[in-house]
Each structure stands twice: as structure tokens, then as C-alpha cells.
Amino acid sequence: MSSSEYSSPLGRKGGAGIYIHIPFCKQACHYCDFHFSTSLKKKDELVQSLAKEIELRKDELGGDTVETIYFGGGTPSLLPNAELRFLIDSVYMNFKVCKTPEITLEANPDDLSIGQLNALTTLQINRLSIGVQSFFERDLKLMNRAHNAEEAEDCLSEAVRHFENISIDLIYGIPGLSNKEWIENIEKALSFKVPHISAYALTVEPKTALASFIKKGIIDNVDDDMAQEQYHILVDKLETEGFINYELSNFGKPNYFSKNNSAYWQGKPYLGIGPSAHSFNGDQRSWNVSNNTKYIKAIQKGELPQEIETLTKRDRFNEYIMTGLRTIWGVSLEKVEQDFGLDYKNYLLKQSGIYINEHLLYIDGAKLLTTKKGKFLSDGIASHLFKIT
């Protein structure tokens, strides 16, 4: 498939996104290293602080139109609808928002009752990203998910009646998950006729419960070869069902690619609101403190509790290679020469030669892309294409 078959799903060139981090969860998943708290004591203060940060940063997008609003976490579906509405209204009050923005809510199955789904339809949220992860009880217990397999199926049966644009999250490479069971997971997800699936290899992050259990021998370690095999099973299965693997971990039907995530991979500016949230404006990255109390105190004083890094040309090149190779749009050789110079383009062509010979990369229409075989290895390949000096 040529990368030119699918254009970017984004709007005009000046579009931007807003990510709102909701750092609360009912319980801690064993594999998660994101910033969150299982205590809701500071929830009300934090929601007010999120709105205040939105106001404090209203000039940062320089007039760009907001095309996407994304509630991530944590577990955003823990927030009452009134608080979700309050935060959406805060964005509209402080930014120019396009006519039909993509507004995504990450949600867990146990939060999406029939009543809650009905209530969500009264908001401007038009996309749900539902963290199912697996339809097997054993896997959910291993990962310490808050929902069970029955809740996952019941939730999806109802969700598809209320929302058209739904994404299901799945995890592969789970210790003990056979290829046969993985196929059953995929087929179960497909049975709900959702237009988008995100699937991630289980990774062992330092200082997580999963890492501790593996170290103690309580849980088997992750098998990278098995994960790679299950990834290719996933690709083959979803492609036959009309899904496009438009980014390493993301599969969408035409017109259902995630606009929020696509903006990130294609270098669009975005604001990250909330503790631990990251922002990008093309030249700088910034990130907020990963501590709810410190975040709230700073925002209440009218201060932004963030660190800022100005990206060098080399940083921007390396980031473009990393994100570009993960997608069907690839790395534009013309853009590399235009933005970074002929030396960078020649360096990239030289470094990529070995991977082209190994049929992991290929050049099509002046774009450097991963082959089907190379897609799963794209992050590792990208790191070898980075400019070091």
C-alpha cells in the first residue's frame, strides 16, 4: 500500500489539539507507570485547577484552531458529567474551536453503565476510547483491571448503540496468552463492529507492580518473540476486515483514524493540561509537575508548574524520524531536506541503507517507510537512524 493512498485526517495546517489529563483511578493496574492517584480527595480542587490552567494558557496556541480535545488519564470516565462539561466549556471560552472537533473520552468498561452512556450523549463528546485490554478474566486479574470480562462485553453492547466513533484498547504479549486466545480477543472486539482498535504490546516498566512480580517469579516475563508474532496476527486479521494500520499501535477504518493521535505523530502543536501532561509547540516541549498537590498549589497562585526544553535541530530531526516511521505517512525526504538540510537527508539515506537491504524499510514516492515486517521494529530502527552529533 502506498502511503499516498491515505491523506492526513487533520484539518487545516494551523490546527492544534488539547489534551486534558485526569489523574485518578479506582485502582492501580499492575503494568501502568502513568501519573495517577487512587484517592479522589483532591478531585474537586484539581478540576478547578485544570480549568484555571486552560485560562492561563489561552494565548499559547497563537490563534490556531483547536481541532481535538482529548480526556486521558488516569480514568477520565470517573468524572461526573457536570465536570466534563465544565472543562469542555472552559476550552471553548478560551480558545477558538473548529466547528466539529473530535472530543475523545478515555473510559473503563465498569464506568459505562446504560445511564452513564445516555448521559454522555448530552455532552459534546463524540468519541470513546474504551480500555478493555482483554476479554479473558485471567488476563484482567493479572493486570489488576477494575472491570471483569462480562462488564467489558455488556459495556460495548450498549456503547455501540449510543456512539458511532468508538475505539477499543487491547493488549497482546500477556504472559500465558496463547495465539489462539489472542485471535479470540480480536474476533470478540470485531464482533462489536467498532471502527477503531488500538493494540499495545505489554511492556514491563520499571517500578511497576508487574516488574516486581516478574522479578520475584510470581509472573512469567514478557516474551518479545511471542509479542511480535501476535502483532503480525493482529495486522493480518484486521487488514482482512478493512482496517488500516495507520500507526504502529492503531488500526482504523477509513475516516475513523484518531485525529488527536495523528496530530501528535505528524508534529502538530498541542497543549497538555493537568499534572504530568506534556505540551509541544514545534520548537519547545514542556511538561507539568507529576504531583497533584504541587500542581494545584502552583495553579492556584497563577503559576504554571512546568519545565521547558527548547529542541535543537538534531532533537527535532530525531523526533520526526521516530514518529514518522511509526505511521503510514512515513518520513518525507523532501521535508528532511527542507527543514534540516541536505546533510541530514544524505545521513538518513546512508543510515537507512542496511534496513532497506534487509527489507525492513523502503522508499516510495520520496518517502521512507517501514515494510510490514519492519513496522513492529520501527522504534528500534528509528533509534539507529538518529543523528547523534
Side-chain angles (χ1 to χ4, degrees):
M1 180 188 69
S2 170
S3 62
S4 61
E5 287 183 47
Y6 298 100
S7 61
S8 165
L10 305 176
R12 68 178 188 82
K13 188 175 181 181
I18 292 181
Y19 170 86
I20 302 174
H21 187 74
I22 309 300
F24 300 109
C25 290
K26 289 179 181 176
Q27 62 193 51
C29 297
H30 288 159
Y31 57 87
C32 181
D33 70 340
F34 293 149
H35 170 65
F36 68 92
S37 170
T38 54
S39 170
L40 300 182
K41 288 180 182 178
K42 295 184 182 294
K43 179 177 71 65
D44 293 349
E45 280 184 285
L46 192 126
V47 170
Q48 292 295 326
S49 297
L50 293 173
K52 179 65 174 176
E53 185 186 358
I54 290 170
E55 181 184 356
L56 289 172
R57 303 182 69 183
K58 64 183 179 181
D59 297 323
E60 285 193 30
L61 293 179
D64 283 350
T65 300
V66 172
E67 296 179 342
T68 64
I69 303 170
Y70 192 100
F71 288 94
T75 311
S77 52
L78 283 177
L79 290 192
N81 284 359
E83 293 179 344
L84 292 170
R85 181 180 288 108
F86 170 63
L87 293 172
I88 293 171
D89 288 347
S90 296
V91 173
Y92 273 82
M93 287 170 59
N94 290 282
F95 293 94
K96 183 168 60 177
V97 181
C98 73
K99 187 176 180 180
T100 55
E102 176 189 88
I103 305 181
T104 301
L105 177 74
E106 287 185 354
N108 281 349
D110 46 302
D111 294 326
L112 295 179
S113 64
I114 296 176
Q116 176 63 356
L117 284 164
N118 272 323
L120 284 174
T121 61
T122 67
L123 302 180
Q124 289 153 294
I125 290 165
N126 50 29
R127 185 174 184 270
L128 295 180
S129 177
I130 303 176
V132 171
Q133 316 310 0
S134 177
F135 291 98
F136 288 101
E137 205 68 46
R138 177 200 66 220
D139 298 339
L140 297 173
K141 288 179 179 178
L142 181 149
M143 293 184 284
N144 200 40
R145 296 291 293 170
H147 68 277
N148 59 42
E150 183 179 358
E151 285 174 320
E153 294 190 41
D154 289 347
C155 154
L156 288 167
S157 296
E158 283 298 325
V160 295
R161 294 173 54 195
H162 294 80
F163 287 86
E164 176 188 357
N165 197 352
I166 292 176
S167 179
I168 294 177
D169 279 3
L170 296 176
I171 293 180
Y172 57 91
I174 301 169
L177 179 69
S178 67
N179 287 348
K180 179 177 179 293
E181 290 170 325
W182 175 230
I183 291 171
E184 288 179 38
N185 261 339
I186 299 168
E187 290 178 343
K188 177 67 71 173
L190 289 170
S191 72
F192 294 100
K193 307 297 183 183
V194 295
H196 193 282
I197 292 175
S198 295
Y200 306 93
L202 182 65
T203 54
V204 184
E205 302 292 348
K207 300 180 181 178
T208 59
L210 178 62
S212 175
F213 293 151
I214 289 174
K215 186 177 180 180
K216 294 174 181 176
I218 298 171
I219 296 175
D220 290 338
N221 203 351
V222 170
D223 184 331
D224 291 337
D225 291 336
M226 177 65 76
Q228 184 171 353
E229 191 174 336
Q230 290 180 355
Y231 171 75
H232 287 298
I233 289 171
L234 174 74
V235 172
D236 291 342
K237 188 76 175 174
L238 292 187
E239 284 185 349
T240 63
E241 297 293 330
F243 285 80
I244 300 151
N245 185 198
Y246 67 98
E247 190 272 341
L248 174 63
S249 302
N250 287 271
F251 302 77
K253 292 288 184 72
N255 300 318
Y256 286 96
F257 297 178
S258 166
K259 293 181 181 178
N260 173 82
N261 295 346
S262 297
Y264 166 74
W265 296 313
Q266 295 188 308
K268 290 266 188 170
Y270 58 88
L271 287 186
I273 304 297
S276 80
H278 285 233
S279 303
F280 174 69
N281 66 10
D283 298 312
Q284 292 179 321
R285 288 206 168 278
S286 64
W287 54 95
N288 288 340
V289 63
S290 298
N291 181 292
N292 291 356
T293 301
K294 291 180 179 178
Y295 170 80
I296 291 168
K297 286 182 176 178
I299 295 295
Q300 287 176 342
K301 291 189 291 185
E303 300 172 357
L304 294 175
Q306 62 182 204
E307 292 185 51
I308 299 175
E309 174 191 17
T310 299
L311 302 177
T312 65
K313 183 165 77 169
R314 187 173 68 236
D315 293 334
R316 290 187 288 108
F317 170 80
N318 291 345
E319 188 158 300
Y320 177 54
I321 299 304
M322 174 66 79
T323 55
L325 283 187
R326 291 176 65 99
T327 74
I328 59 170
W329 301 290
V331 173
S332 165
L333 299 177
E334 181 181 347
K335 177 178 171 62
V336 169
E337 182 173 353
Q338 179 179 321
D339 291 359
F340 307 106
L342 185 58
D343 288 348
Y344 274 78
K345 177 184 174 182
N346 290 338
Y347 172 84
L348 177 61
L349 289 171
K350 181 180 179 182
Q351 292 295 107
S352 61
I354 184 173
Y355 298 105
I356 292 173
N357 291 337
E358 293 176 356
H359 305 291
L360 299 174
L361 296 177
Y362 69 104
I363 294 175
D364 177 39
K367 290 185 178 179
L368 184 67
L369 302 126
T370 53
T371 63
K372 190 171 183 179
K373 178 183 174 184
K375 180 67 75 69
F376 184 78
L377 306 172
S378 61
D379 286 351
I381 294 171
S383 68
H384 287 100
L385 303 182
F386 287 171
K387 199 88 162 62
I388 307 302
T389 56

